Amino acid sequence: MSNTRPVGPQYVTLVTEGGYRFHATITLDWEIGAALYRIPELGGTITVGWESGHYYTRCCDGSAIQITYGKPDRNPFTTNFPDVPTVYGVRLAKRAVFHPEKMNPTSHRWLVVRRDTGGRHCPSAPEGTQRRTAAIVYTITRHMLSRPWAAELRRAHDEQHAPARYRHHQKAIAELETEAAALREKITQERTYAAFQAAVIEKAGRGREPQGPPALLVEQQPLAA
């Protein structure tokens, strides 16, 4: 394993832009490419990683960050994760995705914060919870991206998703090759038709009818009297 992939826990004390001080034990998950911040003040974990769906949609440039409120798993339908954090007495739920350049230390609107209700429906958390959560997520995201191991963690994320991405591209290539073959056939037909029309133009002044492709020559039937 690369020496740029530390395996032991890391202990930090962080302070939000608003002055809230908290502690975190950071565990790096090299299998999925994410940093788990266990925050005792919240009684749970906030996981910072990268969102993989943007790779397929190509909807925007840059890398989207994915926040998991708890310890993540690979099931995209999970809403309530283990070791979920609690902010102002509200248990958080689900995930949130954002671009780091959209983060704002004076606002919480850039981050989705939902509360756990015990079921699949997870409404928005109260505004106070949203503000405190956004301040913490802003702080730990900046911390994670500034670490010397951040690039290697991103590489681990890409390695995890490479097989699925490869299959995606192979499927796209096969579909495009089928479409390309159909287009080449259409181009050949259009060239044949164009050549016939060129012959019509060339021989129009000579009073001679060009002999065109059978598919283009339609026998004119006399009208019934």
Side-chain angles (χ1 to χ4, degrees), residues 115-138:
R115 64 183 305 168
D116 176 17
T117 59
R120 295 192 62 83
H121 175 62
C122 302
S124 296
E127 186 163 339
T129 298
Q130 293 185 46
R131 289 185 181 278
R132 174 54 59 86
T133 303
I136 293 172
V137 169
Y138 175 88

Side-chain angles (χ1 to χ4, degrees), residues 55-217:
Y55 181 88
Y56 300 101
T57 60
R58 307 292 175 89
C59 63
C60 50
D61 296 328
S63 300
I65 295 293
Q66 177 172 277
I67 294 294
T68 301
Y69 298 117
K71 294 182 177 179
D73 61 28
R74 299 187 182 183
N75 185 347
F77 303 105
T78 299
T79 56
N80 303 305
F81 297 94
D83 201 33
V84 60
T86 300
V87 179
Y88 288 153
V90 177
R91 286 169 52 86
L92 305 185
K94 290 195 170 184
R95 300 180 175 96
V97 176
F98 59 89
H99 288 276
E101 63 271 18
K102 300 296 185 181
M103 294 193 303
N104 185 343
T106 63
S107 172
H108 64 279
R109 302 299 181 187
W110 53 272
L111 181 69
V112 175
V113 184
R114 298 189 179 277
R115 64 183 305 168
D116 176 17
T117 59
R120 295 192 62 83
H121 175 62
C122 302
S124 296
E127 186 163 339
T129 298
Q130 293 185 46
R131 289 185 181 278
R132 174 54 59 86
T133 303
I136 293 172
V137 169
Y138 175 88
T139 303
I140 64 177
T141 299
R142 290 189 64 191
H143 179 267
M144 187 272 282
L145 293 176
S146 69
R147 296 302 89 192
W149 38 258
E152 190 67 18
L153 197 66
R154 173 58 192 267
R155 187 173 296 110
H157 167 87
D158 290 337
E159 290 171 355
Q160 168 66 28
H161 291 279
R165 291 172 177 175
Y166 175 78
R167 292 191 297 270
H168 167 79
H169 290 303
Q170 289 296 99
K171 179 181 178 182
I173 290 169
E175 292 173 350
L176 289 171
E177 286 178 340
T178 300
E179 294 176 8
L183 286 173
R184 284 193 294 268
E185 182 178 352
K186 289 183 178 180
I187 290 171
T188 299
Q189 292 176 350
E190 293 300 329
R191 284 175 174 164
T192 301
Y193 300 157
F196 174 70
Q197 296 304 322
V200 171
I201 295 170
E202 181 182 354
K203 298 179 181 180
R206 305 178 190 177
R208 297 170 54 191
E209 284 292 330
Q211 296 299 311
L216 291 177
L217 298 179

Side-chain angles (χ1 to χ4, degrees), residues 26-43:
I26 307 170
T27 303
L28 303 179
D29 188 328
W30 295 106
E31 184 176 352
I32 64 173
L36 284 69
Y37 283 72
R38 181 56 165 77
I39 303 172
E41 288 85 351
L42 307 183

